[in-house]
Amino acid sequence: MNKNTLNISLILIFVLAFIGFNSLYVVTEGTKGIVTRFGKVVRDSEGKLQIVDPGLHLKAPFIDQVKALDVKIQTISSSADRFVTSEKKDVIIDSYVKWQILDAATYYLTTAGGNKMQAEELLRRRINNSLRSQIGRLTIHQIVSGQNSGKNQATEEENVFDSSDSEVVAVASQSKRDEVMQNALKDIGASAKALGIKIVDVRIKQINLPPEVSNSIYQRMRAERDAVAKLHRSQGRKEAEAIKAHADREVVVKIAEAERQARTLRGEGDAEATRIYAQAYKQNPQLFEFLRSMDAYKKSMTSGKDVLVLKPDSEFFKYFNDANGAKGTN
């Protein structure tokens, strides 16, 4: 084999390998493939679009192209939008939709060749219209509380506000919100099939009130809370006065009782002292009189500067003149 033959063989091998490589393609798991030839979709013998399942497949090299469609569950997260309730009040609803390609052929034809952005825009419009229809039949109280009654509307609206957020957020009660979501799921489920799409779930993440409504609600909430605070303060002052009056009465009663007991004890003590003095006097009257005189001298002469103007022979100085207590003479 000469050199030219070897080169030609290598070129042929390279060309065949390149053609073979372009004749094979892989459809990954979770996707469906649609083959187009010269920009047109390849159809089967029945005229239907040829849908390729995951795996390794053959195609005509260079002239066939494969469009991969993601058939896994996908999410459309809509931006918060304003909706009008039956009482002509605005609410801001944030929602999302879970969807999946059900019929790849129909999806490809209705979305301009499997344009995901176009499909999501169509679904976004339909879910928006469905939610507007649902919300338009309900009041704010029904959306927030899940009840049909219009009573205690202000209370229910205020109970769902999250004051830690800069924006007033009202989370709808589970029962009514589920009802709205289920109705929306039914509404767009049938129309989504026309796009080859299956709606897996529709969810409302949160229901907000517009800032202008939030401010008025906050002001009303503040006024009501101030009124409640004033009521509690007045009740507290009333109870405080009652407690203080009861305590003062108890103090007066206890002091009076203590004074009564003190007087009784003092009286008993004085009586006992008198009895003891009387007994001592009876046993030795002279010693008793002497001790009383000594005690009187001590009390009248404690400062050292006392002046007494008395006669020397007075009864007070009888023990100065005579140790036996006899009165002195001039």
Side-chain angles (χ1 to χ4, degrees), residues 264-280:
T264 301
L265 293 175
R266 281 196 296 269
E268 292 176 353
D270 292 342
E272 183 66 16
T274 302
R275 184 183 66 79
I276 293 172
Y277 281 135
Q279 289 179 354

Side-chain angles (χ1 to χ4, degrees), residues 6 8 12 28 35 77 96-97 111 204 211 216 218 221 232 239 255 266 307 311:
L6 179 61
I8 292 172
L12 287 175
T28 60
V35 180
S77 184
Y96 68 89
V97 179
T111 57
I204 295 175
S216 63
Y218 270 135
M221 290 171 61
H232 286 320
E239 293 180 2
I255 291 176
R266 281 196 296 269
V307 177
K311 292 181 179 182

Side-chain angles (χ1 to χ4, degrees), residues 211-271:
E212 59 273 14
V213 178
S214 302
N215 293 333
S216 63
I217 293 293
Y218 270 135
Q219 295 300 326
R220 185 177 65 187
M221 290 171 61
R222 177 173 297 184
E224 292 183 356
R225 294 300 180 268
D226 287 342
V228 172
K230 290 179 180 178
L231 177 61
H232 286 320
R233 291 192 192 99
S234 63
Q235 291 178 346
R237 285 193 292 268
K238 179 180 177 182
E239 293 180 2
E241 292 296 331
I243 294 172
K244 184 178 179 181
H246 178 74
D248 292 342
R249 183 172 62 83
E250 290 292 329
V251 168
V252 172
V253 171
K254 289 183 180 298
I255 291 176
E257 180 66 19
E259 290 180 350
R260 184 186 66 79
Q261 292 179 1
R263 292 192 187 97
T264 301
L265 293 175
R266 281 196 296 269
E268 292 176 353
D270 292 342

Side-chain angles (χ1 to χ4, degrees), residues 76 99 107 111 114-124:
I76 301 175
W99 65 281
Y107 174 79
T111 57
N115 190 328
K116 181 180 177 181
M117 295 181 63
Q118 182 174 344
E120 289 185 345
E121 183 61 27
L122 291 173
L123 289 177
R124 191 176 287 110

Side-chain angles (χ1 to χ4, degrees), residues 27-315:
V27 178
T28 60
E29 192 68 30
T31 62
K32 296 282 188 179
I34 293 182
V35 180
T36 61
R37 182 170 297 163
F38 299 112
K40 294 184 179 180
V41 181
V42 177
R43 298 176 182 270
D44 57 17
S45 58
E46 298 179 358
K48 297 180 180 179
L49 269 65
Q50 186 176 349
I51 305 301
V52 183
D53 293 326
L56 181 64
H57 302 276
L58 293 173
K59 67 181 179 68
F62 308 114
I63 62 175
D64 287 353
Q65 301 293 330
V66 180
K67 173 72 174 181
L69 302 177
D70 191 350
V71 296
K72 298 189 295 292
I73 295 177
Q74 303 178 62
T75 302
I76 301 175
S77 184
S78 302
S79 58
D81 198 3
R82 283 182 180 248
F83 295 82
V84 181
T85 64
S86 62
E87 62 225 311
K88 308 304 179 185
K89 293 183 179 180
D90 290 346
V91 290
I92 300 176
I93 295 180
D94 191 3
S95 63
Y96 68 89
V97 179
K98 294 285 187 180
W99 65 281
Q100 184 179 24
I101 296 176
L102 181 63
D103 187 344
T106 304
Y107 174 79
Y108 183 86
L109 294 175
T110 56
T111 57
N115 190 328
K116 181 180 177 181
M117 295 181 63
Q118 182 174 344
E120 289 185 345
E121 183 61 27
L122 291 173
L123 289 177
R124 191 176 287 110
R125 292 178 188 173
R126 298 185 184 193
I127 187 61
N128 191 282
N129 292 336
S130 178
L131 287 177
R132 288 189 186 280
S133 175
Q134 295 291 324
I135 299 301
R137 294 195 293 264
L138 302 174
T139 64
I140 289 182
H141 174 66
Q142 291 172 336
I143 296 172
V144 170
S145 68
Q147 301 175 358
N148 295 324
S149 172
K151 297 180 180 180
N152 300 325
Q153 178 174 351
T155 303
E156 294 291 345
E157 290 176 3
E158 294 165 8
N159 286 340
V160 296
F161 291 125
D162 182 9
S163 58
S164 63
D165 196 347
S166 59
E167 185 178 11
V168 181
V169 176
V171 180
S173 69
Q174 195 65 27
S175 59
K176 183 55 66 175
R177 185 168 64 178
D178 283 345
E179 182 180 339
V180 171
M181 291 186 296
Q182 291 300 322
N183 291 336
L185 182 61
K186 293 178 182 178
D187 288 345
I188 67 172
S191 61
K193 288 182 180 180
L195 301 175
I197 293 173
K198 173 186 176 182
I199 303 299
V200 179
D201 196 10
V202 177
R203 289 289 164 182
I204 295 175
K205 291 189 288 187
Q206 61 183 9
I207 299 177
N208 303 328
L209 293 179
E212 59 273 14
V213 178
S214 302
N215 293 333
S216 63
I217 293 293
Y218 270 135
Q219 295 300 326
R220 185 177 65 187
M221 290 171 61
R222 177 173 297 184
E224 292 183 356
R225 294 300 180 268
D226 287 342
V228 172
K230 290 179 180 178
L231 177 61
H232 286 320
R233 291 192 192 99
S234 63
Q235 291 178 346
R237 285 193 292 268
K238 179 180 177 182
E239 293 180 2
E241 292 296 331
I243 294 172
K244 184 178 179 181
H246 178 74
D248 292 342
R249 183 172 62 83
E250 290 292 329
V251 168
V252 172
V253 171
K254 289 183 180 298
I255 291 176
E257 180 66 19
E259 290 180 350
R260 184 186 66 79
Q261 292 179 1
R263 292 192 187 97
T264 301
L265 293 175
R266 281 196 296 269
E268 292 176 353
D270 292 342
E272 183 66 16
T274 302
R275 184 183 66 79
I276 293 172
Y277 281 135
Q279 289 179 354
Y281 183 77
K282 289 179 181 179
Q283 292 178 4
N284 195 337
Q286 293 181 349
L287 177 61
F288 182 74
E289 289 183 359
F290 176 77
L291 292 175
R292 287 189 63 184
S293 296
M294 293 299 103
D295 188 51
Y297 296 156
K298 181 179 179 180
K299 290 180 179 180
S300 61
M301 300 176 185
T302 54
S303 64
K305 299 179 180 180
D306 301 305
V307 177
L308 300 177
V309 181
L310 298 171
K311 292 181 179 182
D313 58 348
S314 65
E315 183 71 18

